[in-house]
Amino acid sequence: MAEESKKGADVATTDIYNVEAAEILANEAQHLPILEAAPIYEKLLSTFPTAAKYWKQYVEAYMNANNDEATKQIFSRCLLNCLHISLWLCYIHFIKKVNEKKGAEGLEETRKAFDFMLSYVGSDIASGPVWMDYITFLKSMLATTAQEESHRMTSVRKVYQKAIVTPTHHVEQLWKDYENFENSVSRALAKGLLSEYHPKFNSARAVYKERKKYMDEIDWNMLAVPPSGTCKEEQQCMAWKRLLAFEEGNPQRIDASSANRRVIFTFEQSLMYLYHYPDIWYDYATWHAKSGSVDSAVKVFQRALKALPDSELLKYAYAELEESQGAIQPAKKIYESLVANDASTMSLAHIQFIRFLRRTEGIEAARKYFLDAQKSPTCTYHLFVAYAMVAFCLDKDSKVAHSVFEAGLKRFMHEPRYILEYADFLCRLNDDRNVRALFERALSSLPPENSVEVWKRFSQFEQTYGDLASMLKVEQRKKEALSRMAEDGSSELESTLYDVVSRYSFMDLWPCSSKDLDHLARQEVLLWLAKNINKKVDKSSLTNGANIVAAEKGSFGLITNSKVGPPSTKLVYPDISQMVIYDPRQAQGLEIPAVLSSTTTSSVALVGSGNTTAVEEILKVVSPALVAFIAHLPAIEGPSPDVDMVLSILLQSTAPTGQLGKPTTQQIPAGPAPSTSDLSGSSRTRLNPNGSSRLPREGHSGKRKDLDRKEDDESITVQSRPLPRDVFRLRQLRRSRGVSSSQTGSVVSGGSAFSGEQSVSAD
């Protein structure tokens, strides 16, 4: 136990959200005295503040030590954030214990504790025992006068009536108890009350059955950890969202106040397990805002930022809510915290703060803040672009925008994106002279590898604003500049028909058909591959060459070099030195890919059918079933074979089979596969697993059918490899296509053949 505790502590220090380490520490703490266990619990609960089971263990340790004051403090820390029945049952047990010797005063304190408990967790699907315990408690209270007895019975009736309209596991039992209670008090009064509440009980029971379906999908032992994208986490998140959507729809059609309490309860429960999911916090706050409770939405955002202090999204959403309600100063404080704390995204925070100031305080406040922010050493070109567009689009001041772009150009001449944004701005001003000057200045200083997009935009600009001579001149200069990145620069200077497509296309309009466009795109790529495939060049040159082709052809939407998100610092490119161009029009015969043994080589060789020795070597290492299948494949004239033909071959395949669950290692001699006529119904022979043939016997036909059905449902191993159920699935597909198996003689399913007399027709 000590070794496990030490292991758990070591893992917890490196990964504080390690669930296995947390369980080890929690189990160890249960066997320690409370003074030694308390630091362990505090450490666990600082990491998992919504883990009800750890809070329960912690508080029970103090209860066992009879430390009532410490127990009360722990309950005050966890109850409202952990709406879990087991923890609240522990709370009510503690209240009963503390007040059992205080007489009437203690009974009143216990009653208040029950009311407090049910106001928070009374709508839980597992709260049935709490309602029953409360009713039992009320019935046990002594009444010395008729007035007290009447008050007691009225209290019991009210609790019953609340319990029977709450969808819980014990709703039916509670209804039976309520019937007995009313009948024991007054049968005359009971008839009217029961007829009034019976439809409400039926509604609660129906909603309970629906709610249970959603609740059963939830793992109630899961700890709240930051999302890592695992399948289980995604499933749990979606399960909670489905439950939330169900509750928001008010399936029981109760009053708005009660329905809202159930939605709030469900959100609070979901946060016990999805504490680190910003979308759940946002949905919770947004639901409050849509319900008209903005103050509650603000409180949810404040709690969310305590739980996820580094979430920029939640901060922007919170500031947006405050600004939409006219609370400018609270929103400004949020933006100031973003600017002060988020150094990694400083430019974005500056940009959003400038826009906020422009909306709320005017032009001068935004300008003043920009002048201060652009002095920051972490400032990027994005800030200059953003403020220039604010001045141009919102302030309608093109001179200020031009000055901002010029000031940024002194610092960010090496940034192609900044050059392009500046060029777009000048194009909006219709200042073609300064656009050309900007491109010339930028291209004279940018290295070739960073100038691809700038050249591309320069070429597009001349296609729109220039004449034919200037357009062709820029195209030629672009080819000369980019050809320096390739090993064989002279070939890059050649003009192709693709260049004409580039010059004479507009948006999604093309000067040729889509078929011609695809043909030209393929030819461009094949041409580049032909030039580079046999060259022993390093990765950087291949990469640069590929980038040139992609950048050149990206404007057509066929071969693009677009990136979603920030560019990766480490790119892995395929090894194209072994690439060959596939041509489906092979008239010389079938080519079989030979997968050589791992002891010799791992490469794949393409061997022509004319080399007999090579084919024999291939047949030695290729599975006989695969050889039989390949031998029946037709010679195709295009990229897509006939589906019916392939299915027919698969269904007639004589794949060797072994016994169910046992691998067989028998070898089948290589050679031509049996023809379709060999498997036809006229011969009435079938293949055994060992390859021999025998006549079918009538007495065993029923057993054989059962075995065939069993083989359809189970995997069979062939030569120590599992044979999947693909043949069975293909037969089903064939049925769905309306093809009768009798058309091909016999059908092999999972390795067992049906004779021709047992042809299976489509349904």
Side-chain angles (χ1 to χ4, degrees):
M1 185 67 70
E3 293 180 359
E4 290 185 356
S5 177
K6 184 177 183 301
K7 180 182 177 182
D10 293 340
V11 176
T13 52
T14 57
D15 182 10
I16 62 173
Y17 293 108
N18 187 288
V19 176
E20 295 180 359
E23 292 293 334
I24 293 174
L25 290 175
N27 292 334
E28 175 66 17
Q30 284 185 301
H31 299 85
L32 296 175
I34 184 58
L35 294 179
E36 298 179 21
I40 298 177
Y41 283 122
E42 290 292 342
K43 182 178 180 181
L44 284 173
L45 293 169
S46 64
T47 305
F48 304 102
T50 59
K53 57 182 179 180
Y54 294 158
W55 283 111
K56 185 172 179 289
Q57 290 180 18
Y58 193 13
V59 77
E60 284 178 343
Y62 273 116
M63 289 172 64
N64 294 333
N66 295 318
N67 192 335
D68 294 344
E69 190 61 32
T71 302
K72 291 179 182 179
Q73 291 179 0
I74 296 174
F75 275 129
S76 66
R77 292 168 56 190
C78 67
L79 278 181
L80 299 183
N81 294 327
C82 298
L83 302 182
H84 199 280
I85 285 294
S86 62
L87 180 63
W88 282 80
L89 285 174
C90 185
Y91 161 74
I92 204 67
H93 174 69
F94 169 73
I95 295 298
K96 287 180 179 180
K97 178 184 174 183
V98 171
N99 294 292
E100 63 181 354
K101 297 181 180 180
K102 294 184 179 180
E105 181 182 354
L107 292 175
E108 183 62 21
E109 290 294 328
T110 304
R111 188 189 63 79
K112 290 180 179 179
F114 267 114
D115 288 336
F116 172 72
M117 178 179 179
L118 290 171
S119 66
Y120 279 93
V121 297
S123 59
D124 193 294
I125 196 172
S127 64
V130 181
W131 289 102
M132 299 171 77
D133 194 12
Y134 188 21
I135 292 170
T136 303
F137 169 76
L138 291 176
K139 288 181 178 180
S140 65
M141 295 182 68
L142 295 176
T144 57
T145 64
Q147 184 178 2
E148 290 179 353
E149 176 65 18
S150 176
H151 178 72
R152 181 174 69 89
M153 300 306 287
T154 302
S155 299
V156 172
R157 178 178 288 111
K158 287 182 179 179
V159 176
Y160 262 127
Q161 291 172 352
K162 290 181 180 178
I164 61 176
V165 298
T166 304
T168 64
H169 296 308
H170 298 76
V171 64
E172 293 188 7
Q173 182 61 45
L174 284 164
W175 172 255
K176 293 178 181 178
D177 293 345
Y178 178 55
E179 283 184 318
N180 295 332
F181 168 76
E182 290 293 0
N183 287 321
S184 66
V185 175
S186 173
R187 287 188 174 273
L189 182 62
K191 185 176 180 180
L193 290 173
L194 293 177
S195 61
E196 177 186 354
Y197 276 89
H198 192 266
K200 298 179 181 179
F201 155 72
N202 285 334
S203 177
R205 182 173 58 179
V207 171
Y208 159 72
K209 293 179 180 179
E210 290 296 319
R211 178 187 287 183
K212 187 176 183 298
K213 296 178 183 178
Y214 295 100
M215 304 292 276
D216 289 344
E217 298 178 0
I218 295 172
D219 181 7
W220 297 96
N221 293 317
M222 190 177 78
L223 291 175
V225 297
S228 59
T230 63
C231 181
K232 181 180 178 181
E233 290 176 353
E234 295 298 325
Q235 290 175 348
Q236 288 298 300
C237 183
M238 292 308 300
W240 276 108
K241 288 188 176 183
R242 285 192 291 268
L243 177 60
L244 286 165
F246 172 75
E247 296 294 350
E248 288 178 21
N250 190 8
Q252 201 172 346
R253 300 297 182 264
I254 54 180
D255 61 279
S257 178
S258 300
N260 287 345
R261 284 197 297 270
R262 288 192 183 178
V263 174
I264 292 172
F265 170 76
T266 308
F267 266 115
E268 292 291 345
Q269 272 200 328
S270 69
L271 290 172
M272 291 173 56
Y273 306 94
L274 306 177
Y275 188 70
H276 298 277
Y277 285 66
D279 52 330
I280 302 298
W281 287 104
Y282 177 77
D283 292 345
Y284 190 14
T286 303
W287 177 83
H288 271 301
K290 290 181 179 178
S291 300
S293 181
V294 178
D295 293 339
S296 297
V298 169
K299 292 179 181 178
V300 170
F301 271 124
Q302 291 173 349
R303 289 172 55 196
L305 292 179
K306 289 182 179 179
L308 304 171
D310 298 328
S311 177
E312 299 173 36
L313 278 174
L314 289 177
K315 291 181 180 179
Y316 284 122
Y318 182 22
E320 185 179 86
L321 175 67
E322 294 282 21
E323 184 181 353
S324 66
Q325 299 300 317
I328 304 303
Q329 290 306 314
K332 187 174 182 180
K333 290 182 180 179
I334 299 172
Y335 279 109
E336 289 173 347
S337 68
L338 278 164
V339 172
N341 298 330
D342 297 335
S344 60
T345 57
M346 187 68 73
S347 291
L348 180 60
H350 284 314
I351 291 169
Q352 298 301 334
F353 196 18
I354 286 174
R355 292 176 176 176
F356 169 78
L357 291 174
R358 173 64 179 75
R359 291 193 302 266
T360 58
E361 299 183 15
I363 298 174
E364 287 301 319
R367 184 185 67 82
K368 182 179 179 181
Y369 183 79
F370 166 74
L371 294 176
D372 294 336
Q374 57 95 20
K375 299 176 183 178
S376 172
T378 60
C379 171
T380 63
Y381 70 89
H382 305 84
L383 181 63
F384 284 82
V385 174
Y387 183 69
M389 299 314 295
V390 166
F392 179 60
C393 298
L394 299 181
D395 303 339
K396 313 299 182 184
D397 194 335
S398 59
K399 292 183 179 180
V400 172
H402 194 280
S403 301
V404 172
F405 270 118
E406 279 296 322
L409 192 64
K410 299 176 183 178
R411 296 175 56 178
F412 304 110
M413 178 67 80
H414 61 285
E415 291 286 351
R417 290 293 303 276
Y418 186 77
I419 302 300
L420 299 179
E421 292 291 341
Y422 191 7
D424 286 342
F425 166 73
L426 293 175
C427 287
R428 292 185 182 185
L429 297 179
N430 207 22
D431 190 355
D432 57 310
R433 183 174 62 86
N434 280 328
V435 173
R436 289 189 177 91
L438 173 64
F439 280 130
E440 296 293 348
R441 290 168 60 188
L443 292 172
S444 63
S445 59
L446 284 173
E449 60 270 14
N450 293 340
S451 64
V452 176
E453 287 297 322
V454 178
W455 275 114
K456 179 180 174 182
R457 188 66 62 84
F458 194 9
S459 177
Q460 292 174 349
F461 170 79
E462 290 296 345
Q463 292 172 17
T464 304
Y465 292 88
D467 53 20
L468 182 60
S470 62
M471 180 173 26
L472 296 177
K473 182 178 179 181
V474 170
E475 285 281 349
Q476 186 64 23
R477 289 177 58 195
K478 178 181 70 172
K479 287 180 175 292
E480 292 175 357
L482 299 183
S483 66
R484 301 168 193 165
M485 299 167 57
E487 186 174 319
D488 185 10
S490 59
S491 61
E492 300 293 335
L493 302 179
E494 300 175 1
S495 296
T496 64
L497 191 57
Y498 220 98
D499 298 328
V500 180
V501 175
S502 172
R503 289 194 291 269
Y504 291 95
S505 61
F506 180 75
M507 297 177 67
D508 58 345
L509 303 177
W510 310 97
C512 58
S513 66
S514 59
K515 184 177 180 181
D516 292 338
L517 200 62
D518 293 339
H519 169 73
L520 291 175
R522 287 195 300 270
Q523 293 304 314
E524 289 289 320
V525 176
L526 294 177
L527 179 63
W528 184 86
L529 289 175
K531 293 176 182 177
N532 294 277
I533 196 168
N534 295 322
K535 296 179 182 179
K536 296 182 179 180
V537 295
D538 56 19
K539 183 185 293 185
S540 61
S541 61
L542 286 176
T543 302
N544 293 335
N547 286 338
I548 293 175
V549 175
E552 286 288 311
K553 316 309 171 191
S555 60
F556 311 128
L558 296 174
I559 306 173
T560 61
N561 194 30
S562 61
K563 299 180 178 63
V564 180
S568 174
T569 57
K570 182 180 179 181
L571 300 178
V572 180
Y573 295 92
D575 180 12
I576 63 172
S577 61
Q578 303 296 327
M579 183 183 295
V580 294
I581 301 173
Y582 169 69
D583 186 1
R585 293 162 293 188
Q586 300 170 357
Q588 299 301 323
L590 183 66
E591 294 185 354
I592 304 176
V595 183
L596 302 181
S597 172
S598 59
T599 57
T600 57
T601 178
S602 60
S603 61
V604 178
L606 292 176
V607 183
S609 60
N611 191 340
T612 306
T613 304
V615 172
E616 292 177 353
E617 293 296 324
I618 292 171
L619 296 178
K620 292 180 181 179
V621 297
V622 175
S623 167
L626 181 60
V627 173
F629 170 70
I630 294 177
H632 281 78
L633 287 177
I636 59 176
E637 297 297 332
S640 299
D642 184 77
V643 176
D644 290 329
M645 178 66 72
V646 175
L647 291 178
S648 176
I649 294 171
L650 286 174
L651 294 174
Q652 299 177 49
S653 173
T654 57
T657 63
Q659 296 180 359
L660 293 176
K662 297 181 180 180
T664 177
T665 57
Q666 288 183 320
Q667 297 291 333
I668 297 179
S675 63
T676 306
S677 60
D678 294 336
L679 295 173
S680 65
S682 59
S683 65
R684 297 198 178 188
T685 60
R686 62 183 70 185
L687 294 178
N688 285 336
N690 58 8
S692 64
S693 62
R694 63 175 176 84
L695 293 174
R697 289 184 295 178
E698 295 293 333
H700 294 274
S701 61
K703 295 181 180 179
R704 186 62 186 174
K705 291 178 182 178
D706 293 339
L707 179 59
D708 291 337
R709 285 192 292 269
K710 187 174 182 181
E711 288 176 342
D712 285 340
D713 295 333
E714 298 183 20
S715 297
I716 304 174
T717 55
V718 179
Q719 296 183 356
S720 301
R721 295 181 183 178
L723 180 65
R725 294 176 286 182
D726 293 342
V727 177
F728 174 66
R729 292 172 181 167
L730 287 169
R731 188 177 67 176
Q732 290 180 319
L733 177 62
R734 189 174 180 81
R735 287 178 177 175
S736 67
R737 293 172 64 90
V739 181
S740 173
S741 300
S742 60
Q743 296 173 5
T744 57
S746 63
V747 177
V748 177
S749 176
S752 60
F754 294 93
S755 64
E757 295 177 353
Q758 297 170 334
S759 60
V760 181
S761 299
D763 294 333

